[in-house]
Amino acid sequence: MEGIQHKEVEVNGIKMHVAEKGEGPVVLFLHGFPELWYSWRHQILALSSRGYRAVAPDLRGYGDTEAPPSITSYTCFHIVGDLVALIDLLGVDQVFLVAHDWGAIIGWYLCMFRPDRVKAYVCLSVPLLHRNPNVRTVDAMRAMYGDDYYICRFQKPGEMEAQMAEVGTEYVLKNILTTRKTGPPIFPKGEYGTGFNPDMTNSLPSWLSREDLAYYVSKFEKTGFTGPLNYYRNMNPNWELTAPWSGVKIKVPVKFITGDLDMVYTSLNMKEYIHGGGFKEDVPNLEEVIVQKGVAHFNNQEAAEEINTHIYDFINKF
């Protein structure tokens, strides 16, 4: 990780940790759950070596960024507010956006609220979550998959934290990062148990070293999981808050990339939405959809070089 600079900046009333490297047009990287700036380590090195300024914050509640105690401090507006303040601090009008998982959800909100700040968006794993004006987000998921669908299980304050504590931080992180199980993650009743990955083994995949896992563990042992889980606890409030944007089209140019073994791609009717015309209707400037064969959810780490090339090839056009 040589040459990556770390700094703390003040955004939107909180202190935020940012990793960055390189000079040139800014590429802003937004990580997902349960991750850190570190998830973009390969992309930071690749893009900074190709004439870009790669910037990867720990999002609100994660890593070395401040974690406000209140659940209500984690709405889409708070998190997008952090990012707009960060873009201002970087001294640029627009950024290239690259985001994954929860970072991708926040990325869509950034494109929705402030399209003037995003030149183009490379979105990994999570397409736009089309807002159904008739049913709250988590309610719809509960109706589809029941109370033990992971997002439903994440809702009650303190409950999932306690269940995660029973199995330990390292187990939770390894369990999530190494899963290749397709379809909706359904938890065992009343416990974290085997969580996302009933097939977990002692070994790690080639793309996740012991040192990588240890870095994640060191940060989450310090912060716990409450900040990250609070993003999920705001899914229904976000549904209410974004009523004014119901039906809005995302006009930013977008390239979408997912793995065919991704738990998101293989649940929630995502394939139908992505390939059946709905996604393109909501995002008229969706230029490309890439489905990586044999790749699971954490494609920015598992298929890093391929992702690096996809990012560069897309943003290089602008």
mmCIF file of all heavy atoms in Angstrom, residues 198-220:
data_model
loop_
_atom_site.group_PDB
_atom_site.id
_atom_site.type_symbol
_atom_site.label_atom_id
_atom_site.label_comp_id
_atom_site.label_asym_id
_atom_site.label_seq_id
_atom_site.Cartn_x
_atom_site.Cartn_y
_atom_site.Cartn_z
ATOM 1 N N PRO A 198 -23.055 -20.774 4.751
ATOM 2 C CA PRO A 198 -23.064 -22.078 5.423
ATOM 3 C C PRO A 198 -21.914 -22.995 4.976
ATOM 4 O O PRO A 198 -21.621 -23.990 5.635
ATOM 5 C CB PRO A 198 -24.417 -22.676 5.022
ATOM 6 C CG PRO A 198 -24.930 -21.852 3.908
ATOM 7 C CD PRO A 198 -24.264 -20.540 3.943
ATOM 8 N N ASP A 199 -21.253 -22.634 3.875
ATOM 9 C CA ASP A 199 -20.163 -23.471 3.340
ATOM 10 C C ASP A 199 -18.772 -22.966 3.716
ATOM 11 O O ASP A 199 -17.785 -23.307 3.063
ATOM 12 C CB ASP A 199 -20.271 -23.544 1.806
ATOM 13 C CG ASP A 199 -21.678 -23.913 1.355
ATOM 14 O OD1 ASP A 199 -22.234 -24.877 1.922
ATOM 15 O OD2 ASP A 199 -22.230 -23.240 0.470
ATOM 16 N N MET A 200 -18.694 -22.147 4.744
ATOM 17 C CA MET A 200 -17.416 -21.539 5.112
ATOM 18 C C MET A 200 -16.379 -22.596 5.517
ATOM 19 O O MET A 200 -16.696 -23.535 6.241
ATOM 20 C CB MET A 200 -17.635 -20.567 6.272
ATOM 21 C CG MET A 200 -16.483 -19.653 6.541
ATOM 22 S SD MET A 200 -17.013 -18.306 7.620
ATOM 23 C CE MET A 200 -16.137 -18.694 9.100
ATOM 24 N N THR A 201 -15.157 -22.421 5.027
ATOM 25 C CA THR A 201 -14.071 -23.346 5.393
ATOM 26 C C THR A 201 -12.985 -22.572 6.149
ATOM 27 O O THR A 201 -13.083 -21.360 6.314
ATOM 28 C CB THR A 201 -13.435 -23.956 4.123
ATOM 29 O OG1 THR A 201 -12.816 -22.902 3.379
ATOM 30 C CG2 THR A 201 -14.464 -24.647 3.253
ATOM 31 N N ASN A 202 -11.954 -23.296 6.571
ATOM 32 C CA ASN A 202 -10.850 -22.629 7.269
ATOM 33 C C ASN A 202 -9.964 -21.824 6.338
ATOM 34 O O ASN A 202 -9.310 -20.878 6.748
ATOM 35 C CB ASN A 202 -9.985 -23.668 8.006
ATOM 36 C CG ASN A 202 -10.650 -24.076 9.317
ATOM 37 O OD1 ASN A 202 -11.341 -23.283 9.936
ATOM 38 N ND2 ASN A 202 -10.456 -25.326 9.712
ATOM 39 N N SER A 203 -9.934 -22.222 5.066
ATOM 40 C CA SER A 203 -9.018 -21.549 4.140
ATOM 41 C C SER A 203 -9.635 -20.263 3.590
ATOM 42 O O SER A 203 -10.858 -20.096 3.604
ATOM 43 C CB SER A 203 -8.656 -22.485 2.995
ATOM 44 O OG SER A 203 -9.832 -22.849 2.312
ATOM 45 N N LEU A 204 -8.785 -19.385 3.101
ATOM 46 C CA LEU A 204 -9.231 -18.132 2.484
ATOM 47 C C LEU A 204 -9.030 -18.231 0.977
ATOM 48 O O LEU A 204 -8.128 -18.919 0.507
ATOM 49 C CB LEU A 204 -8.418 -16.953 3.032
ATOM 50 C CG LEU A 204 -8.655 -16.572 4.492
ATOM 51 C CD1 LEU A 204 -7.663 -15.509 4.934
ATOM 52 C CD2 LEU A 204 -10.083 -16.087 4.716
ATOM 53 N N PRO A 205 -9.859 -17.519 0.195
ATOM 54 C CA PRO A 205 -9.651 -17.513 -1.251
ATOM 55 C C PRO A 205 -8.351 -16.767 -1.601
ATOM 56 O O PRO A 205 -7.842 -15.991 -0.792
ATOM 57 C CB PRO A 205 -10.871 -16.758 -1.783
ATOM 58 C CG PRO A 205 -11.345 -15.932 -0.645
ATOM 59 C CD PRO A 205 -11.007 -16.686 0.607
ATOM 60 N N SER A 206 -7.841 -17.020 -2.802
ATOM 61 C CA SER A 206 -6.548 -16.442 -3.205
ATOM 62 C C SER A 206 -6.549 -14.913 -3.160
ATOM 63 O O SER A 206 -5.518 -14.293 -2.940
ATOM 64 C CB SER A 206 -6.194 -16.913 -4.612
ATOM 65 O OG SER A 206 -7.211 -16.522 -5.510
ATOM 66 N N TRP A 207 -7.711 -14.318 -3.353
ATOM 67 C CA TRP A 207 -7.784 -12.844 -3.418
ATOM 68 C C TRP A 207 -7.903 -12.163 -2.051
ATOM 69 O O TRP A 207 -7.878 -10.940 -1.967
ATOM 70 C CB TRP A 207 -8.941 -12.408 -4.321
ATOM 71 C CG TRP A 207 -10.274 -12.985 -3.941
ATOM 72 C CD1 TRP A 207 -10.846 -14.129 -4.421
ATOM 73 C CD2 TRP A 207 -11.218 -12.442 -2.996
ATOM 74 N NE1 TRP A 207 -12.071 -14.351 -3.836
ATOM 75 C CE2 TRP A 207 -12.330 -13.332 -2.970
ATOM 76 C CE3 TRP A 207 -11.242 -11.304 -2.187
ATOM 77 C CZ2 TRP A 207 -13.440 -13.111 -2.163
ATOM 78 C CZ3 TRP A 207 -12.342 -11.089 -1.377
ATOM 79 C CH2 TRP A 207 -13.427 -11.985 -1.359
ATOM 80 N N LEU A 208 -8.042 -12.957 -0.991
ATOM 81 C CA LEU A 208 -8.147 -12.390 0.365
ATOM 82 C C LEU A 208 -7.077 -13.036 1.234
ATOM 83 O O LEU A 208 -7.204 -14.186 1.642
ATOM 84 C CB LEU A 208 -9.543 -12.656 0.946
ATOM 85 C CG LEU A 208 -9.863 -11.990 2.287
ATOM 86 C CD1 LEU A 208 -10.028 -10.482 2.135
ATOM 87 C CD2 LEU A 208 -11.129 -12.589 2.898
ATOM 88 N N SER A 209 -6.008 -12.284 1.522
ATOM 89 C CA SER A 209 -4.904 -12.840 2.314
ATOM 90 C C SER A 209 -5.236 -12.771 3.804
ATOM 91 O O SER A 209 -6.168 -12.077 4.224
ATOM 92 C CB SER A 209 -3.615 -12.067 2.036
ATOM 93 O OG SER A 209 -3.696 -10.768 2.622
ATOM 94 N N ARG A 210 -4.452 -13.488 4.593
ATOM 95 C CA ARG A 210 -4.598 -13.404 6.053
ATOM 96 C C ARG A 210 -4.426 -11.962 6.520
ATOM 97 O O ARG A 210 -5.106 -11.503 7.440
ATOM 98 C CB ARG A 210 -3.542 -14.285 6.748
ATOM 99 C CG ARG A 210 -3.711 -15.755 6.478
ATOM 100 C CD ARG A 210 -4.381 -16.494 7.638
ATOM 101 N NE ARG A 210 -4.958 -17.753 7.169
ATOM 102 C CZ ARG A 210 -6.185 -18.163 7.433
ATOM 103 N NH1 ARG A 210 -6.987 -17.437 8.178
ATOM 104 N NH2 ARG A 210 -6.635 -19.314 6.972
ATOM 105 N N GLU A 211 -3.474 -11.255 5.885
ATOM 106 C CA GLU A 211 -3.200 -9.855 6.250
ATOM 107 C C GLU A 211 -4.401 -8.966 5.915
ATOM 108 O O GLU A 211 -4.744 -8.062 6.672
ATOM 109 C CB GLU A 211 -1.953 -9.340 5.509
ATOM 110 C CG GLU A 211 -0.628 -9.995 5.924
ATOM 111 C CD GLU A 211 -0.466 -11.417 5.395
ATOM 112 O OE1 GLU A 211 -1.083 -11.766 4.358
ATOM 113 O OE2 GLU A 211 0.291 -12.195 6.031
ATOM 114 N N ASP A 212 -5.017 -9.231 4.754
ATOM 115 C CA ASP A 212 -6.205 -8.461 4.370
ATOM 116 C C ASP A 212 -7.299 -8.632 5.418
ATOM 117 O O ASP A 212 -7.861 -7.658 5.926
ATOM 118 C CB ASP A 212 -6.759 -8.941 3.018
ATOM 119 C CG ASP A 212 -5.829 -8.659 1.850
ATOM 120 O OD1 ASP A 212 -5.041 -7.697 1.926
ATOM 121 O OD2 ASP A 212 -5.899 -9.407 0.845
ATOM 122 N N LEU A 213 -7.594 -9.892 5.750
ATOM 123 C CA LEU A 213 -8.651 -10.170 6.721
ATOM 124 C C LEU A 213 -8.313 -9.543 8.070
ATOM 125 O O LEU A 213 -9.174 -8.929 8.721
ATOM 126 C CB LEU A 213 -8.853 -11.681 6.870
ATOM 127 C CG LEU A 213 -9.970 -12.109 7.837
ATOM 128 C CD1 LEU A 213 -11.329 -11.569 7.399
ATOM 129 C CD2 LEU A 213 -10.021 -13.635 7.966
ATOM 130 N N ALA A 214 -7.049 -9.642 8.470
ATOM 131 C CA ALA A 214 -6.614 -9.084 9.762
ATOM 132 C C ALA A 214 -6.812 -7.567 9.813
ATOM 133 O O ALA A 214 -7.155 -7.014 10.860
ATOM 134 C CB ALA A 214 -5.154 -9.435 10.031
ATOM 135 N N TYR A 215 -6.622 -6.908 8.664
ATOM 136 C CA TYR A 215 -6.819 -5.449 8.628
ATOM 137 C C TYR A 215 -8.292 -5.109 8.879
ATOM 138 O O TYR A 215 -8.609 -4.250 9.713
ATOM 139 C CB TYR A 215 -6.346 -4.856 7.291
ATOM 140 C CG TYR A 215 -6.439 -3.344 7.275
ATOM 141 C CD1 TYR A 215 -5.454 -2.562 7.871
ATOM 142 C CD2 TYR A 215 -7.541 -2.693 6.714
ATOM 143 C CE1 TYR A 215 -5.548 -1.173 7.895
ATOM 144 C CE2 TYR A 215 -7.641 -1.313 6.730
ATOM 145 C CZ TYR A 215 -6.645 -0.559 7.313
ATOM 146 O OH TYR A 215 -6.750 0.809 7.338
ATOM 147 N N TYR A 216 -9.192 -5.802 8.168
ATOM 148 C CA TYR A 216 -10.624 -5.575 8.407
ATOM 149 C C TYR A 216 -10.981 -5.850 9.863
ATOM 150 O O TYR A 216 -11.669 -5.060 10.508
ATOM 151 C CB TYR A 216 -11.475 -6.495 7.516
ATOM 152 C CG TYR A 216 -11.520 -6.116 6.061
ATOM 153 C CD1 TYR A 216 -10.840 -6.860 5.095
ATOM 154 C CD2 TYR A 216 -12.272 -5.027 5.625
ATOM 155 C CE1 TYR A 216 -10.896 -6.523 3.747
ATOM 156 C CE2 TYR A 216 -12.337 -4.680 4.291
ATOM 157 C CZ TYR A 216 -11.646 -5.430 3.351
ATOM 158 O OH TYR A 216 -11.710 -5.089 2.029
ATOM 159 N N VAL A 217 -10.508 -6.972 10.378
ATOM 160 C CA VAL A 217 -10.835 -7.372 11.749
ATOM 161 C C VAL A 217 -10.366 -6.315 12.743
ATOM 162 O O VAL A 217 -11.102 -5.931 13.665
ATOM 163 C CB VAL A 217 -10.230 -8.759 12.083
ATOM 164 C CG1 VAL A 217 -10.399 -9.085 13.569
ATOM 165 C CG2 VAL A 217 -10.893 -9.848 11.235
ATOM 166 N N SER A 218 -9.153 -5.793 12.545
ATOM 167 C CA SER A 218 -8.604 -4.806 13.486
ATOM 168 C C SER A 218 -9.494 -3.570 13.567
ATOM 169 O O SER A 218 -9.697 -3.005 14.641
ATOM 170 C CB SER A 218 -7.181 -4.406 13.079
ATOM 171 O OG SER A 218 -7.191 -3.618 11.900
ATOM 172 N N LYS A 219 -10.049 -3.159 12.428
ATOM 173 C CA LYS A 219 -10.900 -1.957 12.425
ATOM 174 C C LYS A 219 -12.287 -2.237 13.009
ATOM 175 O O LYS A 219 -12.814 -1.439 13.788
ATOM 176 C CB LYS A 219 -11.041 -1.404 11.000
ATOM 177 C CG LYS A 219 -9.728 -0.912 10.392
ATOM 178 C CD LYS A 219 -9.117 0.228 11.198
ATOM 179 C CE LYS A 219 -7.773 0.659 10.619
ATOM 180 N NZ LYS A 219 -7.115 1.699 11.447
ATOM 181 N N PHE A 220 -12.886 -3.375 12.632
ATOM 182 C CA PHE A 220 -14.235 -3.669 13.130
ATOM 183 C C PHE A 220 -14.232 -4.064 14.600
ATOM 184 O O PHE A 220 -15.238 -3.881 15.295
ATOM 185 C CB PHE A 220 -14.928 -4.723 12.263
ATOM 186 C CG PHE A 220 -15.479 -4.146 10.988
ATOM 187 C CD1 PHE A 220 -14.726 -4.133 9.823
ATOM 188 C CD2 PHE A 220 -16.746 -3.579 10.956
ATOM 189 C CE1 PHE A 220 -15.226 -3.577 8.650
ATOM 190 C CE2 PHE A 220 -17.260 -3.027 9.792
ATOM 191 C CZ PHE A 220 -16.494 -3.031 8.633
#
